[in-house]
Every structure is written in C-alpha cells, then in structure tokens.
Amino acid sequence: MNHRLNIRFEQLERATNQLLAQVELLGERASTSPGPGQWSAVQVVHHLLVAETGINQYIDKKLAQTEDLEEAGVGAFFRASLLRLLLRLPFLRFKSPSRLKALTPDEVPTLAVLQAEWETVRRHLERTLNEFPSKLLNRAIFKHPRSGMLTIYQTLDFMVDHVLHHQRQISRIAHAVALLPPPLAVGHNANQPT
C-alpha cells in the first residue's frame, strides 16, 4: 500500500474503532431508537457496514475493467472537496440515499455480529489497497451518489468523513437514549407497581 493510501486507511481504522467504542458504551441501549423513524446506534453501524460493503464491491467491479477508468479531473477535486466540507459541518444532516436506507431494516443483527462482519469487509478493503495499481491512483474508481466519480484517495477521504459524520450522530443518539426511561426487564409486568 502506498504511503498516502496507508495514512488514509489508518485514519479510517481509528475513526471506525472510536465509533464502535462509542456504541459499545451504550450497552443494551445501543439498539434503542431515540424516537419514531430514527435509527438506533446499532442501525447506524449497520448502515456504515452496508456502505463500506457497497464501496468495496464497486471498486472491485471497476478494477476488473481498468481500461474504462477515466482520469479524475478538476471537477472531481471540487466535488470531493465540497462533499468533505458538508460532511464535516456539525449542524448539517443528510438523508441516507434511498437505496442504502432500504438496506437498513428496523431489526439488525447484534453489535457483535456487525463488528465481525465489518472486520471481514475492512480486511477486504485493506487487501484491495495493498494491491491497488499505482497507475490507477488518479483514476475515477468509485461513484458517490451525490458527488460523482472519486479517485481512491477521495474515496477513502469520504469514508473517513462518513464515519466521523456518524460519530456525531451516535453522540446525539447516546444523549437522547440516556434521557429515556430504562428498558423493562424481561419478565417484568409493566402493570405491576415497582
């Protein structure tokens, strides 16, 4: 893996580990939605896993047809820069692309299962980056749903910013679910006085 890719990959690893640690701290509340129509912390993890899986698949597909990859131009630089800026603004929220949102159901696997799946997906990304051809570093390799085609560097920058963006969401969720009454214990009758 070249040095610039390695730096970005390490940033992605750190950001992901920090996010997962945040979710683990929530314990049982990690699966609690802060309100109707809002994702729980575990659903956010699922969303990030689905997104990274899709990115891996798209890159794999493009690497199989390298003769079609175009040089990334100035427009790609500006679109990627704008995407980075928007993802870093703390007050800005985005709706998940409908295609991705549909892949995050109300019931998702446990955090432990998601972490194991994510580890597999991340090792796949690491292998791809280790073998990434240097002649393709400035080629458009991934199509972001809003900003268009990105180079591998821009793709990794997006992935880091995407995780950091959702770290802020996890913080909001943690604050909201901490204010909710504790979940009922299994076998506890809500009609009985406590």
Side-chain angles (χ1 to χ4, degrees):
M1 184 180 319
N2 89 17
H3 182 65
R4 287 174 60 197
L5 287 179
N6 190 53
I7 288 171
R8 286 166 169 87
F9 182 76
E10 287 177 0
Q11 290 173 335
L12 182 60
E13 287 276 78
R14 278 193 305 277
T16 303
N17 290 336
Q18 288 170 353
L19 179 133
L20 290 172
Q22 266 184 297
V23 176
E24 284 177 350
L25 285 174
L26 290 172
E28 290 180 11
R29 291 184 181 251
S31 296
T32 302
S33 169
Q38 297 179 40
W39 280 347
S40 69
V42 174
Q43 285 175 298
V44 173
V45 171
H46 184 270
H47 162 75
L48 288 165
L49 171 60
V50 167
E52 188 165 323
T53 301
I55 291 169
N56 279 348
Q57 291 169 346
Y58 196 97
I59 291 171
D60 288 348
K61 181 178 114 180
K62 287 297 185 183
L63 286 174
Q65 38 186 286
T66 58
E67 65 281 349
D68 297 337
L69 297 179
E70 295 181 16
E71 193 82 24
V74 176
F77 170 78
F78 285 113
R79 287 190 306 274
S81 298
L82 179 60
L83 178 64
R84 293 200 79 190
L85 173 68
L86 293 175
L87 281 172
R88 289 175 175 248
L89 292 174
F91 55 84
L92 199 56
R93 297 184 188 182
F94 297 92
K95 285 195 181 274
S96 179
S98 57
R99 177 173 102 261
L100 276 181
K101 193 171 187 173
L103 295 174
T104 302
D106 291 338
E107 295 294 323
V108 295
T110 65
L111 179 60
V113 169
L114 293 174
Q115 284 176 298
E117 284 183 41
W118 206 347
E119 181 63 23
T120 301
V121 169
R122 183 60 56 83
R123 296 296 62 90
H124 177 87
L125 176 63
E126 184 176 29
R127 282 190 304 278
T128 300
L129 296 175
N130 279 328
E131 299 166 3
F132 203 86
S134 57
K135 67 181 182 180
L136 301 179
L137 290 170
N138 292 316
R139 300 283 177 156
I141 193 77
F142 172 68
K143 186 174 184 177
H144 185 273
R146 292 194 173 102
S147 66
M149 294 303 292
L150 303 174
T151 67
I152 192 67
Y153 297 122
Q154 294 163 340
T155 301
L156 288 170
D157 287 342
F158 159 69
M159 293 172 76
V160 170
D161 291 335
H162 190 218
V163 171
L164 294 174
H165 175 78
H166 284 293
Q167 273 184 6
R168 291 190 302 273
Q169 182 182 13
I170 297 291
S171 295
R172 289 192 305 270
I173 291 169
H175 179 72
V177 298
L179 300 176
L180 295 174
L184 292 175
V186 176
H188 178 74
N189 186 340
N191 297 325
Q192 290 180 341
T194 54

